[in-house]
Amino acid sequence: MPVPKRRHSRARGRKRRTHYKVKPISLSKCPNCGEAKLPHRVCPHCGYYKGKAIIQIEEKISS
């Protein structure tokens, strides 16, 4: 197995790692209710996908 000839500096390693970033989550607007949702997913607020009701969303009971 090859062995590195010289050590890399901390700056060199840090420069390399500047490209390791978490991508921001891309959200799309639900055409039914207008809330932000993940693309190609059922809207968690209204339960619609592509204009059809897929799941029933129960209302929270506040006391």
Side-chain angles (χ1 to χ4, degrees):
M1 184 172 169
V3 179
K5 193 168 188 178
R6 296 184 198 277
R7 72 180 286 272
H8 290 176
S9 67
R10 279 183 276 168
R12 185 172 168 174
R14 289 174 182 168
K15 277 188 224 173
R16 184 184 67 239
R17 290 185 200 110
T18 59
H19 302 287
Y20 302 164
K21 296 176 183 173
V22 176
K23 290 183 181 179
I25 299 170
S26 63
L27 297 174
S28 62
K29 189 177 174 183
C30 176
N32 189 48
C33 65
E35 291 285 333
K37 69 173 190 73
L38 290 171
H40 307 289
R41 308 286 200 296
V42 174
C43 178
H45 300 281
C46 64
Y48 273 67
Y49 182 71
K50 289 190 174 182
K52 295 179 185 174
I54 304 297
I55 56 173
Q56 287 278 35
I57 304 295
E58 295 180 9
E59 299 274 334
K60 287 186 178 179
I61 299 170
S62 60
S63 56

